[in-house]
Amino acid sequence: MTHYVVGITGGIGSGKSTVAERFEKLGIVVADADQASREIVEPGQDAYLAILEKFGNPVLLEDGTLNRAYLRQKIFAEKTNRLWLEKLTHLPIMQNLKDKLQSAKSAYGILMLSTGAGKSPLMDRMIVVDVTPDVQISRVKERDHNDEALIRKIMASQPNREDRLSWADDVIENNGDLVSLKQTVYDLHQYYLRLANHA
Ligand code: ATP
């Protein structure tokens, strides 16, 4: 079981997944909230059964898995649905993340929460991945082929850059290329190995 947990957060397209992948390549277990939120609604899971009971068969695809597009529509159409779903999934997601970290054999673990989340009690330290808004927009444009207006809207719905930076124990400045990002993650990894060793 890993006893030291480093969180990662950052705005849309800042490079959280890219950073997490680098830590994984160094042998560090990553618990990802996005992945957890998909796992806890797999067919047969409690949350899956509760969603099916509430929305009926239209919420399923032909293969019996959740129709995410349909569910998203329901959630955006009515706030009570969104709150209901958040309440239903919060604890199972946290349990899934805890289980993953507890069974991790690496010297420390990485916890990747969603973009809006601040420091969690599960974390010993937190990394904020930071880029300038211009870099953020151009990388998301290239990755998702969204137009700039939509990206700006998503950015505006997230915590602002200053608030996010104020939560950071460590900041990864990711305006440069992937080679320098790799080096930054490697240096932090060495530092976390020392911290985890003395924790
Ligand atoms: P989201 O919040 O949308 O999940 P994210 O923070 O996980 O995004 P990534 O998907 O890791 O961000 O990165 C956004 C895009 O920018 C990806 O296409 C990624 O390959 C690219 N990218 C990340 N870091 C760099 C870098 N240093 N140089 C060039 N491209 C980068």
Side-chain angles (χ1 to χ4, degrees), residues 15-39:
K16 299 177 294 295
S17 310
T18 310
V19 166
E21 262 169 43
R22 297 300 331 160
F23 278 107
E24 249 172 353
K25 288 222 163 75
L26 294 165
I28 298 305
V29 168
V30 175
D32 173 6
D34 257 9
Q35 193 187 335
S37 72
R38 287 191 297 271
E39 286 174 6

Side-chain angles (χ1 to χ4, degrees), residues 1-120:
M1 171 187 153
T2 190
H3 65 291
Y4 197 81
V5 176
V6 180
I8 298 182
T9 195
I12 178 173
S14 56
K16 299 177 294 295
S17 310
T18 310
V19 166
E21 262 169 43
R22 297 300 331 160
F23 278 107
E24 249 172 353
K25 288 222 163 75
L26 294 165
I28 298 305
V29 168
V30 175
D32 173 6
D34 257 9
Q35 193 187 335
S37 72
R38 287 191 297 271
E39 286 174 6
I40 60 123
V41 294
E42 278 171 6
Q45 299 286 329
D46 289 348
Y48 168 94
L49 296 173
I51 291 167
L52 177 57
E53 197 182 340
K54 186 169 175 75
F55 296 106
N57 275 329
V59 80
L60 296 188
L61 294 169
E62 267 182 18
D63 66 359
T65 59
L66 276 192
N67 183 341
R68 295 177 164 277
Y70 179 87
L71 189 58
R72 212 174 301 128
Q73 238 176 27
K74 288 281 173 198
I75 286 162
F76 276 113
E78 222 181 300
K79 194 178 169 195
T80 50
N81 283 340
R82 180 168 60 80
L83 296 176
W84 178 84
L85 190 70
E86 278 172 11
K87 193 164 171 221
L88 174 76
T89 56
H90 178 74
L91 283 180
I93 290 173
M94 295 315 285
Q95 194 55 52
N96 177 296
L97 293 168
K98 269 189 214 163
D99 289 348
K100 185 141 196 204
L101 290 166
Q102 265 165 9
S103 61
K105 302 249 182 322
S106 50
Y108 63 94
I110 292 279
L111 175 57
M112 194 156 70
L113 293 180
S114 68
T115 358
K119 195 163 176 179
S120 138

